[in-house]
Amino acid sequence: MGLKEEFEEYAEKAKTLPDTTTNESKLCLYSLYKQATVGPVNTDRPGLFDLAGKAKWDAWKSVEAKSKEEAMADYITKVKQLLEEAAAASASS
């Protein structure tokens, strides 16, 4: 399986992450996904009152030096980590 296929598989798996996934983790996934699929930020930073939009933009901007391939690999690693944490949390509850 190639990197792109594995990335797409984990993008689907990310949709199954629990609601308890932190906003910080969600922003990390968002930024890596955008970098992997779009490349560097290509929009203006959202305005003052769009706090969620600014947080997403800033997260994406923070990974702009990564290649699409690096972003895909990091995304896969992060989803695996979050899935393992979710499984451990549900096993202990």
Side-chain angles (χ1 to χ4, degrees):
M1 177 184 305
L3 181 61
K4 188 168 185 347
E5 291 80 14
E6 189 177 6
F7 171 76
E8 289 169 358
E9 177 186 331
Y10 277 89
E12 284 303 310
K13 288 182 179 183
K15 295 175 184 175
T16 69
L17 289 169
D19 293 338
T20 54
T21 304
T22 65
N23 283 340
E24 183 180 340
S25 291
K26 290 176 186 174
L27 278 174
C28 177
L29 289 178
Y30 172 84
S31 65
L32 292 170
Y33 183 87
K34 293 295 275 188
Q35 187 69 17
T37 58
V38 178
V41 170
N42 60 359
T43 61
D44 292 332
R45 191 169 189 249
L48 182 64
F49 298 106
D50 184 359
L51 298 179
K54 281 198 313 193
K56 288 171 141 182
W57 192 93
D58 290 346
W60 184 8
K61 182 80 173 163
S62 74
V63 296
E64 72 179 346
K66 292 183 184 288
S67 70
K68 286 187 174 189
E69 292 74 22
E70 286 176 305
M72 283 183 193
D74 289 354
Y75 181 91
I76 292 164
T77 300
K78 185 67 176 175
V79 173
K80 285 180 180 177
Q81 173 197 346
L82 293 171
L83 288 170
E84 288 170 8
E85 288 173 6
S90 67
S92 66
S93 57

